[in-house]
Amino acid sequence: MRELDDRARAILTGNDRGGYTVPTRGLYPYQWNWDSAFAAMGFSAFDPDRAWRELETLFAAQWETGMVPHIIFHEVDPGYFPGPDVWQTHRQPPTTGITQPPVAATAARRIYERDHDRARLAALYPKMLAWHRWFAAHRLDRGAVCIAHPWEAGRDNAPDWDGAMAGVDSSGVGEYTRRDTAHVDAAMRPQKIDYDRYLSILYFGRDTGWDAAEIAANGPFFVADPSMTFILLRANRDLAVLAGVLGEDSGEIEGWIAELEAGAETLWNADGEYYDSRDVRTGTFANSLSCASYLCWYAGIDNRRMLEHLRSVLGRVRYGVPSYDPEGPEFNALRYWRGPVWGVVNFLIADGLAAAGHEVQADRIRADTRALIERNGFFEYFDPLEGRPAGGDNFTWTAAIWLIWAGRD
Ligand code: GLC
């Protein structure tokens, strides 16, 4: 245990590039939005100053619109594609034109509760509020949070997007060279057809000059997503608590909470009886029981039927929680978001379960995560059936959740 604690801290400090942390060397050489929030939580366990700094660096790249970008290209690295020349957001430092799951307010609350640095919290608060306001203004469909690109959900190639992605015309993307498959086995990564469509959606946004209203109205991909909806709902609950700490009025935030609670129920797939992704363009559900479905507790929503699904899925894998239903037609134990276990998502799911009093499931998920890390080290993701490691090694967020959760008693 102690040895793994030391290794986890060494991964965080080793991936520190001075004020921001890369997810892992090589494969992901920049600052990623939600990875940074987890990195900040990890740093909070031993270096609160550095934890705040991670969030401050992230919000320094916030757009005037309030959006906080999904990648910040601090130092251009030819080993990653698509880089700033492709996104063309014309910003300094360069960024992508899309966002990622808003975990930052939840991270800020965690850090604050450790060191009570009111001044640093007060400086971040209006920025977090502006980001959440941007979601409320541009990204809600019937109260559920929509993604305009699969990368926004942070679950890049989840089966959730297959239906909506099939409608994306990628005939005009032309030639390009991927870099990810130079770092990691191609069988563990998205496929070429996925990448063609990722780029096609990116080009649409770029051609609008990254106009959020135009993207919401006419973008080729717009899907209401349970992970974004549940994570923003939770982030708003945490932001409301922080508003209280600072003596700020939380009325606007309470309004968003009510709207998101109603929005979450529009994601209920009555046929499968679970929370599902909904294609806004066609109105159809994805029919995908995924790890995002189990984030309801993290958002403060207890659901008996979801607990039954979770029990059943945990009964069918050696290591929970698989990112996609192991009995679903698209299940693949090693391919990215189509089956593998992701430690950070496990942390969020278990955090919610424990708060709702579902200790048995919360403990099982923590024990599984711990066993995967003890056996393999701090990999990006893991095979839920045989426990094999996958993706990048020495991963920041896997180390972070070890320090604050998986490696604790
Ligand atoms: C992948 C993941 C995404 C993560 C990024 C950096 O794109 O799907 O969730 O933020 O890698 O780790």
Side-chain angles (χ1 to χ4, degrees):
M1 260 346 194
R2 286 285 83 80
E3 193 239 317
L4 283 170
D5 288 357
D6 291 344
R7 275 177 59 195
R9 281 189 290 266
I11 288 171
L12 285 181
T13 50
N15 287 340
D16 183 356
R17 294 290 176 273
Y20 72 96
T21 313
V22 298
T24 186
R25 237 182 90 226
L27 183 61
Y28 303 118
Y30 299 116
Q31 183 175 23
W32 261 257
N33 186 323
W34 74 323
D35 298 67
S36 253
F38 290 111
M41 293 196 222
F43 278 120
S44 76
F46 64 101
D47 188 351
D49 169 60
R50 183 59 189 79
W52 285 116
R53 182 113 189 273
E54 187 78 28
L55 295 183
E56 289 157 359
T57 310
L58 176 66
F59 280 91
Q62 183 171 35
W63 290 19
E64 295 70 28
T65 60
M67 191 198 72
V68 182
H70 116 278
I71 303 175
I72 302 147
F73 301 110
H74 291 281
E75 273 177 47
V76 176
D77 184 321
Y80 181 83
F81 176 86
D85 51 324
V86 182
W87 291 90
Q88 295 176 17
T89 57
H90 309 298
R91 305 190 59 90
Q92 209 41 252
T95 72
T96 62
I98 58 174
T99 195
Q100 252 197 337
V103 181
T106 302
R109 179 176 174 188
R110 176 179 282 267
I111 307 167
Y112 178 78
E113 285 173 354
R114 299 239 165 347
D115 83 342
H116 299 284
D117 192 332
R118 222 183 126 100
R120 287 179 103 166
L121 175 64
L124 271 179
Y125 176 81
K127 301 178 183 180
M128 299 190 289
L129 189 69
W131 188 20
H132 293 195
R133 190 177 287 136
W134 175 86
F135 275 109
H138 298 292
R139 286 306 179 75
L140 296 189
D141 177 79
R142 297 165 59 205
V145 181
C146 301
I147 54 169
H149 194 295
W151 290 339
E152 288 199 308
R155 301 186 291 126
D156 305 13
N157 66 335
D160 301 40
W161 328 128
D162 288 1
M165 285 285 268
V168 175
D169 173 14
S170 60
S171 55
V173 294
E175 296 288 308
Y176 60 93
T177 306
R178 283 172 68 170
R179 300 291 175 186
D180 58 319
T181 43
H183 301 282
V184 165
D185 182 349
M188 298 178 182
R189 298 284 308 177
Q191 293 172 291
K192 159 130 174 71
I193 179 68
D194 300 316
Y195 252 79
D196 287 353
R197 290 174 175 143
Y198 295 150
L199 288 174
S200 183
I201 303 168
L202 188 168
Y203 295 156
F204 178 93
R206 182 178 81 183
D207 293 344
T208 71
W210 300 107
D211 177 332
E214 177 58 19
I215 290 170
N218 297 311
F221 179 96
F222 210 62
V223 178
D225 162 34
S227 51
M228 281 294 224
T229 303
F230 290 140
I231 288 172
L232 182 61
L233 178 47
R234 167 60 179 268
N236 274 319
R237 294 191 199 284
D238 290 322
L239 195 62
V241 170
L242 296 176
V245 165
L246 295 169
E248 299 277 348
D249 177 16
S250 63
E252 185 180 17
I253 305 171
E254 301 298 343
W256 296 333
I257 291 173
E259 196 173 4
L260 289 164
E261 282 175 340
E265 297 316 314
T266 74
L267 299 177
W268 186 254
N269 178 333
D271 292 333
E273 297 187 276
Y274 51 78
Y275 292 106
D276 195 4
S277 300
R278 175 167 57 74
D279 185 344
V280 172
R281 301 290 180 241
T282 62
T284 51
F285 278 114
N287 295 317
S288 173
L289 176 62
S290 74
C291 55
S293 311
Y294 304 115
L295 290 172
C296 53
W297 297 283
Y298 178 71
I301 298 173
D302 198 1
N303 182 298
R304 182 191 51 83
R305 190 71 187 97
M306 284 311 307
L307 196 63
E308 289 168 8
H309 285 299
L310 180 63
R311 284 204 189 103
S312 145
V313 162
L314 290 176
R316 281 179 282 131
V317 292
R318 169 65 192 84
Y319 302 95
V321 177
S323 44
Y324 177 70
D325 183 359
E327 280 177 1
E330 297 301 326
F331 179 78
N332 180 326
L334 282 177
R335 199 183 287 281
Y336 224 35
W337 292 94
R338 304 180 79 86
V341 176
W342 291 73
V344 278
V345 181
N346 276 5
F347 163 63
L348 302 180
I349 295 173
D351 180 88
L353 285 166
H358 303 305
E359 293 292 347
V360 173
Q361 287 74 25
D363 287 348
R364 158 81 194 267
I365 294 169
R366 183 162 61 167
D368 287 3
T369 311
R370 182 184 307 199
L372 285 167
I373 293 172
E374 283 172 348
R375 172 176 165 171
N376 300 295
F378 298 90
F379 272 82
E380 186 179 8
Y381 45 98
F382 305 91
D383 170 347
L385 304 178
E386 293 170 27
R388 290 172 291 175
D393 194 358
N394 297 313
F395 225 82
T396 292
W397 66 13
T398 311
I401 59 104
W402 174 268
L403 290 172
I404 59 172
W405 170 69
R408 304 267 74 77
D409 292 321

